[in-house]
Amino acid sequence: MLHCSPFVSPTVGSARVCRIGLLAVASASILQRRGFRSLAAAAASLESEVEEDFTPQSGEKKRLPHTPVLVRQFLEHFEGRSVKTFLDCTVGAGGHAFEIIQAHPELETFVGMDVDPCALKLARQRLSDLSGSMAKVDLFHANFKNMKKDLKERNPELLERGFDGILLDLGLSSMQVDAPERGFSYYLDGPLDMRMDSSDVLGLTAEAICNNWSAAEIGRILREYGEEMRWKFLASRIVDARLNGGIKTTKDLASVVGGRFTSGRFKRARHPAARTFQALRIAVNDELKSLRSAIGQASSCLAPGGRLAVISFHSLEDRIVKYQFKELSLVFDKVDLAFMLLTTSPITADAAEIEKNSRCRSAKMRVIQRLCR
Ligand SMILES: C[S@@+](CC[C@H](N)C(=O)[O-])C[C@H]1O[C@@H](n2cnc3c(N)ncnc32)[C@H](O)[C@@H]1O
């Protein structure tokens, strides 16, 4: 049974963007040997963003478990609109949920799901503070990749009516990053777990990947999900570690992956293990496939005129959102499912928000609207 930690310090576990510039010293041949077809491909990869958590400072003040990002911009997209039904596919600690329910007294039904039962517990606490809302609130444990099936089972009439607003706020909540036993942080020692669904006792873990998968498969996820230039080298280091008992903890992995790169020209990277941790987390939770499926399902759960907002935290996610939204908004020939893109470029946090919450630095929000036909 996992412990659900309710409070975190203001900075612990907040994700930071690690934007790595192109290494001037890298020659085209070295890049090619590392699996990049061209200098441009390597540059694009290095320029992409990686989520990074950061070191806990001792003695910091405790506060709420997770600070929601881009709240003002999110609410603005629903301002002046009648929102009677809302679906939060990643309810987390209930931050966005609380705000949208408060801002829309006309709300009749709010549905929130999360793959992590620990997060749901916090959302329940947070939403019990609501006053002045008559909305019926339904929170349940689910993976958003199954949203249509689950909604159909729970409330087929609601699914038939559709939602006036839907939110997908991707990635991890701060309280998940901050719990060493969840294994998401390379700064906190714990078992190498990384399952978002803490109740899925038989699910794949990062430890199983590191100790059982082939070097080729590990290399593939480091390259595709971590956009890691050193994928071949790091995959063989991970596999070689099996000769010394294998990789069991976050600290083991951080030292196997990071050991050689803490100085010299790699000093610019925030943490040398950031890309490896990102790759493993995406693989363990099958995040990109789930996201692709969720966007398609969520768009078809919108009521006419309803809006879908997606907040992403790294370039792999944002790319999926961008292209799927573009595709959806280009389809005009379907009789009753057509969409309009409301954000030609992503909405990002302003300086004041970044100052208060560095996690929002990498957040990008895109929004589409289902047309009324
Ligand atoms: C950034 S947090 C959301 C925070 C929330 N908006 C708030 O204000 O507290 C992302 C949440 O999405 C959940 N999550 C990630 N992948 C999921 C999935 N496939 N299905 C459902 N929930 C998921 C995580 O467990 C986490 O609680």
Side-chain angles (χ1 to χ4, degrees):
M1 171 67 75
L2 273 158
H3 169 66
C4 304
S5 355
F7 291 105
V8 294
S9 74
T11 53
V12 176
S14 296
R16 268 186 183 166
V17 171
C18 169
R19 183 179 283 277
I20 307 170
L22 176 65
L23 300 171
V25 291
S27 72
S29 64
I30 291 172
L31 294 170
Q32 272 166 9
R33 278 208 305 279
R34 288 177 179 177
F36 292 92
R37 282 187 302 281
S38 65
L39 202 63
S45 168
L46 281 164
E47 275 297 309
S48 70
E49 292 164 344
V50 177
E51 264 188 285
E52 187 171 358
D53 67 325
F54 58 100
T55 320
Q57 307 293 312
S58 59
E60 284 172 332
K61 238 175 81 198
K62 304 275 185 185
R63 70 167 191 188
L64 282 171
H66 176 87
T67 306
V69 304
L70 301 175
V71 171
R72 175 180 55 77
Q73 298 89 330
F74 160 69
L75 291 177
E76 274 170 12
H77 275 87
F78 294 95
E79 210 171 280
R81 304 180 70 79
S82 169
V83 179
K84 293 205 166 146
T85 54
F86 194 92
L87 169 63
D88 188 339
C89 302
T90 51
V91 73
H96 287 98
F98 186 91
E99 299 293 340
I100 194 85
I101 296 174
Q102 277 221 317
H104 289 270
E106 76 280 12
L107 194 66
E108 290 168 4
T109 310
F110 175 90
V111 178
M113 61 175 78
D114 201 290
V115 74
D116 183 2
C118 292
L120 277 174
K121 210 170 150 187
L122 294 171
R124 282 205 178 90
Q125 277 168 17
R126 179 88 174 109
L127 300 185
S128 66
D129 282 353
L130 278 165
S131 57
S133 168
M134 302 303 284
K136 176 175 171 280
V137 175
D138 181 20
L139 300 179
F140 62 95
H141 176 226
N143 190 315
F144 56 54
K145 70 180 178 189
N146 304 318
M147 74 175 83
K148 273 194 108 162
K149 182 178 137 290
D150 289 336
L151 288 167
K152 196 170 176 184
E153 277 168 19
R154 289 183 86 82
N155 196 337
E157 296 81 25
L158 182 61
L159 183 62
E160 177 72 19
R161 180 209 180 273
F163 291 91
D164 298 323
I166 301 182
L167 173 66
L168 278 152
D169 177 18
L170 303 171
L172 295 169
S173 301
S174 299
M175 64 275 182
Q176 294 167 320
V177 182
D178 293 342
E181 70 274 18
R182 303 296 298 267
F184 290 115
S185 174
Y186 33 77
Y187 286 117
L188 303 170
D189 196 19
L192 196 56
D193 191 313
M194 298 200 195
R195 281 171 296 186
M196 282 195 187
D197 184 350
S198 53
S199 67
D200 182 14
V201 286
L202 298 176
L204 179 66
T205 63
E207 184 188 342
I209 294 179
C210 289
N211 295 312
N212 301 321
W213 285 22
S214 68
E217 269 301 283
I218 293 175
R220 181 188 64 78
I221 62 166
L222 294 181
R223 193 176 64 237
E224 290 179 10
Y225 300 159
E227 299 190 306
E228 172 58 82
M229 282 190 72
R230 304 164 292 152
W231 59 271
K232 224 175 202 167
F233 171 74
L234 294 181
S236 66
R237 273 184 73 96
I238 289 170
V239 170
D240 289 350
R242 294 174 194 167
L243 298 171
N244 296 318
I247 296 173
K248 306 275 185 229
T249 65
T250 49
K251 199 171 160 197
D252 290 346
L253 179 63
S255 70
V256 164
V257 169
R260 278 184 49 170
F261 297 106
T262 48
S263 61
R265 64 199 170 105
F266 287 98
K267 220 174 184 172
R268 290 181 63 190
R270 289 283 164 84
H271 194 292
R275 289 175 185 275
T276 300
F277 272 67
Q278 174 176 300
L280 285 167
R281 195 195 88 192
I282 291 175
V284 166
N285 300 291
D286 202 8
E287 288 180 35
L288 303 183
K289 197 168 154 206
S290 301
L291 174 59
R292 278 189 206 99
S293 166
I295 292 176
Q297 293 182 55
S299 62
S300 69
C301 291
L302 285 172
R307 293 183 168 186
L308 164 63
V310 183
I311 302 175
S312 66
F313 289 89
H314 57 76
S315 57
L316 294 172
E317 288 172 345
D318 183 55
R319 220 172 287 154
I320 291 173
V321 182
K322 178 177 167 180
Y323 287 111
Q324 277 193 248
F325 275 15
K326 206 168 176 182
E327 265 177 24
L328 284 168
S329 62
L330 288 176
V331 180
F332 288 113
D333 53 349
K334 289 198 182 160
V335 183
D336 56 347
L337 262 187
F339 300 89
M340 177 171 62
L341 194 57
L342 300 180
T343 47
T344 42
S345 47
I347 293 166
T348 53
D350 57 27
E353 187 180 359
I354 294 172
E355 173 79 13
K356 280 194 233 138
N357 175 18
S358 62
R359 182 172 195 268
C360 68
R361 200 188 292 268
S362 55
K364 287 188 173 145
M365 182 168 74
R366 297 183 187 267
V367 188
I368 49 165
Q369 178 176 328
R370 181 176 165 191
L371 298 176
C372 301
R373 286 193 164 184

